[in-house]
Amino acid sequence: MARTTGSEGSRTEEAIRTAAVELIAAHGFEAMTMRQLADRVGVQPGSLYRYFPSKGQLLVELLVEHLEFLVSRWDSEQPEDADPRVRLRAFVDFHVRSHTLRRREAFVANMELRSLAPGDYRRVVALRRNYENLLTAILSDGIAAGCFRLPDARVATFAVLAMLTGVGSWYRDAGRLGKRELIEIYTQMVMQCVGAQ
Amino acid sequence: MARTTGSEGSRTEEAIRTAAVELIAAHGFEAMTMRQLADRVGVQPGSLYRYFPSKGQLLVELLVEHLEFLVSRWDSEQPEDADPRVRLRAFVDFHVRSHTLRRREAFVANMELRSLAPGDYRRVVALRRNYENLLTAILSDGIAAGCFRLPDARVATFAVLAMLTGVGSWYRDAGRLGKRELIEIYTQMVMQCVGAQ
Amino acid sequence: MARTTGSEGSRTEEAIRTAAVELIAAHGFEAMTMRQLADRVGVQPGSLYRYFPSKGQLLVELLVEHLEFLVSRWDSEQPEDADPRVRLRAFVDFHVRSHTLRRREAFVANMELRSLAPGDYRRVVALRRNYENLLTAILSDGIAAGCFRLPDARVATFAVLAMLTGVGSWYRDAGRLGKRELIEIYTQMVMQCVGAQ
Amino acid sequence: MARTTGSEGSRTEEAIRTAAVELIAAHGFEAMTMRQLADRVGVQPGSLYRYFPSKGQLLVELLVEHLEFLVSRWDSEQPEDADPRVRLRAFVDFHVRSHTLRRREAFVANMELRSLAPGDYRRVVALRRNYENLLTAILSDGIAAGCFRLPDARVATFAVLAMLTGVGSWYRDAGRLGKRELIEIYTQMVMQCVGAQ
DNA sequence: TATGAATGAGAATTCATTCAT
DNA sequence: CATGAATGAATTCTCATTCAT
């Protein structure tokens, strides 16, 4: 549900989303209870159902929202018809940024696919595939253009995504590395990984 | 009825372990119920408790067993005092092999840390760190020896491990790629990634 | 269905207390099941947990409530600074009355101490000691004043309390003896017992 | 395996009885588990069933044994055709002795009647009544002979028994009072209580 | 005799969800 | 909009008991 007027409602909905992402990231979807969630938001459990028809649907909305955000954001951010190397650099930058900025959303989107009902699973996996395909396209173009040296574009997609996504599970803003440094390190590793010339 | 004949003690325990890994890999630890597990093993739910004192302890034992297996196996398999490049190749080979052979165990060990009780969590994370350190050592040695070009050994450890471990989430024995091919692809990507000379 | 109409919150809690005391008095705390209790109250077992966080805590609250009732009631009922003999008569009257009126509560409070968790046990025993001390004070005063002939005030406390409390295990309102008669009988025996002059 | 040679059997049975009385006295019959009992005896739970057909029957045997012991022992110990005052003194002495010596058995016999199945309950209550009647007879004789001043022999029976039996719940051999002293104190109180002339 | 493996019933408790107010 | 009271189904775990070996 989207909600239109009256500020309280949409504020509560946002609070639920935020709290849900935090709780799911911390304990896992199955381990989060609606009671915990309600407590954190400061409402009664029954009130959650004004905003989300079920616990499962709440998860779906979180994941869909995140994946659509990723794809549409990249869409508006990607460099125009550039060299695969430029596009890959931009992708690494984008991915690392969004996976540290929206760390918990990204984490949940990666971990909780299996908690979805079959129909929702297919829908969300399709969205994720869209995102993966963005990278596969870059890598394939680069291989075709002779500027990447990779044995298999699809496997490389999985490999690069896994490498980049992993950042969310250890990076902390308060840690040793600044975000700019982090992105540079990953950029160098990815460019070496794909054998960029 | 006592005893369903043919199912002797240690056999039952092994059956529980196997079934548990399958179920946890498929649905997640929280989502697996002891009833499901018992059904799959072919015993009554209560019988599980002869072998594992609690659902949580079952998870701990699964994870500890896997991580100890990894470390001790690598210990006996690693090449003797070799060039970092040789050692890294061996590590990739070893990791990909063990993460496709014991795919589900590996998956569970990577996904279910958060389902552990705090004390168990610390214990298991320490074991995992031991394993990570094996790779960090190789990378550091390579950097020091000038044969790897990497900005940060620790970040590279996370990156390489994430990349390699990810294989378990998509690779299937029956798929397009044979295991030898798979290992070669990953070896090439990793060697490029670390900037091996 | 939500709400069986007519059963509002505090009414339900009172119903649970009443039913619990009856069941525990009849079968013992360990033997009472939450299902039984819920059945008698007319709710689902889970609903009990809105009112009491656990079976054990329910017992604690029952015992504490009873013992606090006894002490505070005696406090407001005891005769003002009188002769030990007058005070003892009043105490016997009070104790027998409260142990026949609230027969089951008293019985439970006497029988189920051992079902308490250690911490709760200490708390409840302390409350009980407060009550015992009321009698010990009367007896000591009487001994000091020379109007009671007793070898040991503390042992006499136990003896008198045991004698009086025992009434709850056999006396029934519908039986041969009226409550006035009962109290007179016990008063005479206690006064003789302490050697009242 | 425990066993060696000889009449291990009856030794095991005795060990079960002893352990059972301890556990029941400490935690209550319902709270004692057959596993606990077996652990304490040093056998497997299943082995208990060689000696007692069920948990409930074990309780019955314990109670019956104790009550028969009491009656038969008093039978052989009671003073021959004496004055009610002499007989009462002897009874107090006997009761206090047996309720401190076999403290746990006595305690269990007093607390666990309600854990018996209906048929067993009637049987055990009948035995207990036999014992109570011994005291009622003494008191009635004393009243008739004019040497006791009591309003009701039956109520006095309950009162005196409650008073005396209560000793088991606080007296400890290692405590402040020796057993001789204890008996004297109780004798004096009881003699005063019944208004002995 | 005693064990070890198992059963099956039932225990306390949790939880997503509903709905009258 | 939100709550408070409740449901009903499921969950983990326990326990007396059985019985082949």
Side-chain angles (χ1 to χ4, degrees), chain A:
Chain A
M1 241 175 310
R3 304 298 263 64
T4 45
T5 57
S7 49
E8 290 306 331
S10 59
R11 216 177 309 216
T12 304
E13 180 174 343
E14 219 11 62
I16 295 173
R17 281 178 190 275
T18 306
V21 167
E22 283 170 13
L23 285 170
I24 298 173
H27 312 300
F29 174 74
E30 302 277 356
M32 174 194 77
T33 76
M34 294 300 262
R35 214 115 55 199
Q36 267 181 305
L37 179 53
D39 276 0
R40 183 168 291 212
V41 175
V43 297
Q44 291 292 321
S47 305
L48 300 174
Y49 291 82
R50 299 249 147 229
Y51 299 93
F52 298 93
S54 75
K55 193 188 175 192
Q57 197 54 35
L58 167 57
L59 179 62
V60 178
E61 294 199 21
L62 256 25
L63 300 199
V64 167
E65 202 266 1
H66 178 68
L67 288 167
E68 285 180 343
F69 163 87
L70 277 188
V71 171
S72 86
R73 187 67 164 240
W74 170 251
D75 210 51
S76 73
E77 215 181 87
Q78 65 173 342
E80 289 196 9
D81 91 327
D83 183 290
R85 284 163 296 197
V86 176
R87 284 156 67 204
L88 182 55
R89 280 178 189 280
F91 186 87
V92 171
D93 183 282
F94 170 76
H95 192 93
V96 172
R97 254 188 302 117
S98 48
H99 279 67
T100 48
L101 209 66
R102 304 182 32 129
R103 193 168 68 78
R104 277 180 277 257
E105 284 83 350
F107 186 70
V108 168
N110 258 73
M111 297 287 278
E112 299 296 354
L113 291 179
R114 65 183 172 188
S115 297
L116 294 166
D120 294 327
Y121 179 82
R122 279 189 294 276
R123 181 177 163 211
V124 172
V125 165
L127 281 171
R128 194 179 60 166
R129 172 126 335 166
N130 289 346
Y131 185 70
E132 292 165 2
N133 288 342
L134 299 171
L135 178 56
T136 307
I138 297 173
L139 298 179
S140 297
D141 289 356
I143 293 169
C147 54
F148 295 160
R149 197 176 64 225
L150 281 169
D152 188 302
R154 197 65 192 158
V155 175
T157 299
F158 293 142
V160 170
L161 275 178
M163 189 196 308
L164 292 178
T165 299
V167 75
S169 64
W170 62 267
Y171 182 78
R172 293 298 176 274
D173 282 329
R176 159 170 77 94
L177 294 169
K179 207 162 285 182
R180 231 17 292 153
E181 249 173 312
L182 180 76
I183 291 173
E184 268 157 34
I185 292 173
Y186 270 95
T187 302
Q188 177 183 335
M189 287 193 298
V190 168
M191 296 314 284
Q192 287 182 173
C193 182
V194 301
Q197 314 287 302

Side-chain angles (χ1 to χ4, degrees), chain D residues 121-132:
Chain D
Y121 178 83
R122 280 189 294 276
R123 181 177 165 212
V124 171
V125 165
L127 281 170
R128 194 179 61 167
R129 172 127 335 167
N130 288 346
Y131 185 70
E132 292 166 1

